Amino acid sequence: MPDTAVEDEFARFEAAYSGTFRPVPVEAMPRWRRHRRRGALWLGGLAAAVAAALSVNALQPGAGGERPLWTDRVVHLDGARGDLQVRFADRQHGWAVASDCGTDNVCANVVGRSTDGGRTWTRVDVAGLPDRGRPVLAVRGPDSIVFGVTSPVEDLWESTDGARTFHRPTGDVEGIFLTLPPDTLTGAGHTAWRVVREGLDTYASYSADGGTTWSVLRPALGTGATLRLSPDGRDAWAFAGNPTRVWRLRPDGAYEEPNFPITATPGAIGTLDNGGLLTMVPGRGQGIWRDGQFTLLPEPLRDAELAVALPDGAISVALHGSLIVGGEDGGWVRYVTS
């Protein structure tokens, strides 16, 4: 005969807690599974109900029945052992590296790339590259990476043809880290923008003919100001710190953005199309500034440790050890590596 007390308890549990679950961080899953196995010895039916609620694509914010915020996509790289790290150059082009290091500091490195948004991954040949020391993979573009080791001795190699060949890095080898943009940028429609200095003042300068002639934009910018363009090259911005200030650059002048959060870090502000800026405001979270308004990313993305604007206008988010890529239009994908 059915136990009506148990049925009533499940009904109460469902009514009280449906839709309240939050994503389980990827790095916490093995530990959670161990606890689940131990807990299965008691309240087995309740544990099964919770496990079903925490199934991969059910992990979402919001009320019960709401569509998941993201889709999970498992990263499978043949031969990969050890910690698997994933980086994307844009929504379609990703790179991954797995390193299994021994006590002698020699690592078995496996590197792969994806050209279909992480649905499939193909190994690339890194057999001739350094394997003694801490490995590093820096993504510079869909076909461009810097790979090698940084300790105990720095030994870096660059590829610009999808890892078919490697050579010593050209230009700024510090490109493996976040660096300041160049002083001169080329935008859409033969426009160009650059930083100029007159005495102690810093200005933005504009060219409508690809850099042949220039006009200085007033007023002056803050000391150490840097310029950035939107992914489509149509919007130009200037940023300065202490406190943080932002200017929208137009052919006739530099226009300061009123009420932009002064606690945002200038070097961490990313540009989006249509006048958008991706930034993190301490105490509030990750969000987008546009038309004088700051809008937080959807929960739980607003709590991400890092959010980066990609060159195609997509947004890459690091949340609880997981990489999630999407955009203002949605289409978020979480890349599961374990």
Side-chain angles (χ1 to χ4, degrees):
M1 178 179 295
D3 190 334
T4 56
V6 173
E7 291 181 351
D8 290 344
E9 181 64 17
F10 271 101
R12 185 199 63 79
F13 175 81
E14 180 181 13
Y17 298 106
S18 178
T20 64
F21 295 108
R22 292 296 185 266
V24 175
V26 169
E27 69 273 17
M29 289 295 286
R31 180 182 177 185
W32 172 74
R33 292 192 184 103
R34 291 195 296 270
H35 288 321
R36 187 186 66 181
R37 285 194 293 269
R38 290 195 295 266
L41 297 177
W42 58 281
L43 283 181
L46 185 58
V50 173
L54 292 174
S55 63
V56 172
N57 266 344
L59 300 180
Q60 72 196 45
E66 182 180 331
R67 292 182 59 189
L69 178 61
W70 56 66
T71 299
D72 278 346
R73 194 165 289 167
V74 177
V75 178
H76 177 73
L77 184 59
D78 288 341
R81 293 181 297 172
D83 189 26
L84 181 61
Q85 301 292 328
V86 179
R87 301 288 184 272
F88 272 78
D90 54 39
R91 270 187 168 176
Q92 295 300 313
H93 297 87
W95 293 85
V97 58
S99 300
D100 186 19
C101 302
T103 56
D104 56 357
N105 211 27
V106 174
C107 301
N109 298 315
V110 175
V111 177
R113 66 180 307 217
S114 174
T115 59
D116 58 5
R119 293 175 179 83
T120 60
W121 295 83
T122 303
R123 284 185 60 167
V124 300
D125 185 10
V126 294
L129 298 184
D131 59 3
R132 183 180 293 275
R134 184 172 65 87
V136 60
L137 171 69
V139 176
R140 286 182 160 177
D143 297 313
S144 301
I145 59 170
V146 173
F147 180 75
V149 296
T150 57
S151 65
V153 178
E154 184 176 272
D155 192 357
L156 301 175
W157 294 80
E158 179 183 29
S159 175
T160 57
D161 58 5
R164 288 189 291 272
T165 62
F166 284 86
H167 53 264
R168 286 297 185 183
T170 57
D172 180 16
V173 70
E174 295 301 319
I176 64 173
F177 307 108
L178 290 176
T179 57
L180 296 177
D183 280 352
T184 302
L185 302 172
T186 301
H190 303 289
T191 60
W193 312 81
R194 70 180 181 185
V195 171
V196 296
R197 293 169 178 84
E198 296 181 0
L200 298 177
D201 292 326
T202 301
Y203 297 89
S205 185
Y206 167 74
S207 173
D209 52 18
T212 302
T213 60
W214 294 88
S215 59
V216 175
L217 306 181
R218 309 281 175 176
L221 309 176
T223 302
T226 59
L227 306 184
R228 296 187 189 92
L229 296 178
S230 61
D232 62 8
R234 298 182 182 278
D235 300 324
W237 300 88
F239 305 91
N242 298 320
T244 298
R245 286 171 292 165
V246 175
W247 293 264
R248 182 83 174 266
L249 304 182
R250 302 186 187 277
D252 62 345
Y255 296 86
E256 188 167 1
E257 288 283 302
N259 302 318
F260 188 87
I262 62 174
T263 55
T265 303
I269 299 173
T271 57
L272 302 170
D273 290 336
N274 302 313
L277 296 174
L278 176 68
T279 188
M280 194 278 286
V281 177
R284 299 187 65 186
Q286 304 281 357
I288 296 172
W289 173 272
R290 181 179 280 113
D291 298 328
Q293 300 291 329
F294 181 68
T295 303
L296 289 168
L297 294 180
E299 291 186 2
L301 301 181
R302 63 187 59 176
D303 299 323
E305 298 87 10
L306 179 68
V308 177
L310 300 180
D312 63 345
I315 299 172
S316 175
V317 170
L319 178 68
H320 303 318
S322 295
L323 179 71
I324 305 171
V325 179
E328 294 184 79
D329 59 348
W332 296 96
V333 177
R334 182 176 68 167
Y335 294 94
V336 180
T337 59
S338 61

